[in-house]
Amino acid sequence: MDGFNENNMNEFAPPSKKNLKIVVLILVMLIAAAVAVIAVVISGSKKDAENKEKNSHKAAVETYTEAMYETDAFDDFINVTMPADVLKEYKKTDNYYEEKNDYKYMLERNEHITVSSIKKGDMLSDNELKFAEGYFGEQADYHDIDVVNIEITEAYEYSFKLKNAEYENKDTYTRVVCAVKVKGDGWKIIPLDAESLCEMYGSDDE
């Protein structure tokens, strides 16, 4: 039995109680660390999702204001002002190409206009949500597009300031729009305030 000695036996011997306690302690610490990491990841993901949802209507407004005065941003502009079903059909029409060219020409004259002070306003009422749906329905009719019913689940007014640096007085005026959440489609912008929606799309008995 050459090569077999007491040291070889120790390799197969069970760990002492002291060593076993150390192993258990290390395992407990590793498990605790893993649980902590998982908790942080889940919490972070949930928080990110909440922040994204919370700020997505503002992001739509920012996209809208940026596209308003950039000559090559027509597609960004219509993406944030038309429901997907309307947009898909609109891009197949001659109006799309004609209005894209007109948009670029028009905005070349507005290169000195800047946007600032974007602020969230009041939430729209249930009736006002219906008026917003009427706006998109009329938008589709204007372009001879047949679409299914558009449902808006949430909306807010937003205001922002416009300034034209080209003029000496550099006048600033405030514009108000509505950021609306189209079911299954996300946040869109209607370039009207809630009062105008009511006047234009509300019935006399509402």
Side-chain angles (χ1 to χ4, degrees):
M1 299 183 62
D2 292 340
F4 184 84
N5 55 40
E6 187 177 351
N7 290 333
N8 296 128
M9 287 290 292
N10 289 336
E11 294 178 6
F12 300 97
S16 66
K17 290 184 177 181
K18 182 178 180 180
N19 290 338
L20 186 59
K21 288 181 179 179
I22 294 175
V23 172
V24 172
L25 179 59
I26 292 173
L27 288 174
V28 170
M29 292 174 64
L30 289 174
I31 293 172
V35 170
V37 170
I38 293 171
V40 169
V41 171
I42 293 174
S43 176
S45 298
K46 183 178 180 181
K47 186 174 182 180
D48 289 344
E50 290 174 349
N51 287 338
K52 183 177 181 181
E53 175 62 23
K54 181 179 179 181
N55 296 323
S56 55
H57 39 78
K58 183 176 181 180
V61 178
E62 290 172 343
T63 298
Y64 174 79
T65 56
E66 290 170 3
M68 280 175 62
Y69 301 104
E70 293 185 11
T71 57
D72 59 349
F74 181 69
D75 284 329
D76 291 337
F77 184 82
I78 60 176
N79 284 344
V80 80
T81 55
M82 288 185 175
D85 290 343
V86 177
L87 181 63
K88 181 179 178 181
E89 297 303 318
Y90 169 68
K91 285 188 172 183
K92 298 176 183 178
T93 67
D94 292 336
N95 285 345
Y96 167 69
Y97 298 100
E98 293 173 1
E99 291 176 5
K100 187 171 186 176
N101 289 331
D102 292 342
Y103 187 86
K104 183 175 182 178
Y105 172 75
M106 178 183 68
L107 294 193
E108 285 175 347
R109 298 176 297 171
N110 294 337
E111 60 182 354
H112 299 287
I113 293 179
T114 58
V115 179
S116 63
S117 303
I118 299 175
K119 294 182 179 179
K120 179 183 173 185
D122 295 333
M123 177 184 285
L124 272 63
S125 67
D126 289 343
N127 280 339
E128 289 166 340
L129 296 184
K130 296 298 182 185
F131 305 153
E133 292 170 358
Y135 167 86
F136 284 127
E138 185 175 277
Q139 182 187 66
D141 290 342
Y142 176 79
H143 294 289
D144 296 322
I145 297 171
D146 294 326
V147 297
V148 296
N149 291 332
I150 296 170
E151 182 179 351
I152 294 175
T153 59
E154 187 179 356
Y156 301 90
E157 280 192 321
Y158 266 88
S159 65
F160 52 89
K161 295 184 181 299
L162 297 174
K163 179 185 291 186
N164 192 331
E166 186 177 20
Y167 299 117
E168 292 183 2
N169 56 11
K170 297 182 180 180
D171 285 343
T172 299
Y173 66 96
T174 300
R175 178 94 178 265
V176 180
V177 299
C178 289
V180 303
K181 189 174 186 181
V182 179
K183 187 175 181 179
D185 195 6
W187 290 92
K188 303 294 179 179
I189 301 301
I190 293 178
L192 297 170
D193 58 27
E195 183 177 355
S196 297
L197 281 175
C198 181
E199 292 174 352
M200 297 174 67
Y201 301 100
S203 60
D204 294 335
D205 56 351
E206 288 181 299

